[in-house]
Amino acid sequence: MAESRLPILAGPEYGNATKTYTNATAASIIAAAEILGLPWQREAEQAAEVFSSNLGRIFAQRSELEEFCRGAANIEIIGRGAAYGGAFMSALCIREMTGHRAAPHTGAGFRHGPNLDVDAAHVAIIFALGRTAELGIKLAAECNRRGGKVVLVSEQDREATDRLLPMRVDAVAEPWEGITSLLVPQALTLAMTERTGCRLPPRFEYGVMEQ
């Protein structure tokens, strides 16, 4: 129904893909920058470089990540700002690919909701990125105090404990963390499917592909 349309070149999905999300997110950031008269080329190039350079390192840690999360009754993914989009997409990927329960939350939505039920059966993946990083770090400490386990995705190297698994993602300009935040949950999704198999129905069971 839009008068002006911007193709995002995602193509058909034959499995669980993030290209529809990443292309639409990048296009939205660029369009917003153009509307506001802000430069975006250098920040976009940096985000692409960070995504590429961090991918191999993070995916190499996927077995450790899966083992840390193994046995969780719930995986809650928490993001603030642009990273909330990453939380939403990540929860969708985990549920669709593995059949394991995962749910996205804003920081406030989690703190005043599921956080009240956190116990040793919970794993929270918390994006502590950008200007709201300190709020994510505080929330991680609170989850740990309640007995829950936390995968803390932040821009610094941190010390691991039996209930805290730090994962570093290099800093990008706001709001590009909406894309780079996908890296850790995607690595977890791959490791879970490698261990237990993929729950996504085979392509031929989808019926007619609708674009």
Side-chain angles (χ1 to χ4, degrees):
M1 295 174 65
E3 183 175 330
S4 300
R5 302 179 185 182
L6 183 65
I8 58 174
L9 307 177
E13 292 189 16
Y14 295 101
N16 189 287
T18 62
K19 193 158 58 169
T20 300
Y21 169 81
T22 54
N23 286 12
T25 301
S28 297
I29 294 170
I30 292 168
E34 287 288 339
I35 290 169
L36 294 171
L38 300 174
W40 56 266
Q41 289 87 345
R42 183 175 298 177
E43 293 178 351
E45 290 172 1
Q46 183 210 13
E49 172 58 30
V50 166
F51 193 96
S52 177
S53 63
N54 281 228
L55 189 148
R57 171 177 52 80
I58 290 172
F59 272 57
Q61 297 174 267
R62 67 184 183 276
S63 295
E64 178 186 2
L65 182 60
E66 187 277 329
E67 185 176 356
F68 182 83
C69 296
R70 192 180 303 170
N74 304 290
I75 296 178
E76 318 284 359
I77 308 179
I78 300 99
R80 289 180 167 87
Y84 176 60
F88 206 94
M89 182 65 193
S90 298
L92 183 154
C93 288
I94 292 173
R95 292 196 74 160
E96 190 170 55
M97 291 293 287
T98 72
H100 191 95
R101 185 195 175 280
H105 305 277
T106 63
F110 177 81
R111 192 170 188 278
H112 299 287
N115 187 47
L116 303 174
D117 303 319
V118 165
D119 56 26
H122 281 70
V123 170
I125 300 176
I126 300 177
F127 298 141
L129 303 169
R131 69 170 74 185
T132 63
E134 288 303 317
L135 293 173
I137 292 167
K138 290 179 180 179
L139 185 59
E142 187 173 341
C143 288
N144 280 167
R145 284 195 299 271
R146 293 177 176 271
K149 299 172 72 174
V150 175
V151 177
L152 182 62
V153 182
S154 72
E155 296 160 358
Q156 291 86 32
D157 289 313
R158 300 178 186 277
E159 186 176 350
T161 70
D162 60 336
R163 287 185 292 176
L164 180 71
L165 180 63
M167 301 289 291
R168 178 172 59 82
V169 175
D170 291 333
V172 293
E174 188 180 27
W176 291 97
E177 65 266 21
I179 293 177
T180 57
S181 58
L182 294 176
L183 285 166
V184 172
Q186 286 293 305
L188 173 60
T189 303
L190 176 59
M192 292 173 75
T193 58
E194 286 175 333
R195 181 173 179 269
T196 62
C198 178
R199 303 289 183 88
L200 193 69
R203 169 67 185 88
F204 59 83
E205 293 185 11
Y206 272 69
V208 177
M209 177 63 71
E210 297 183 0
Q211 296 284 4

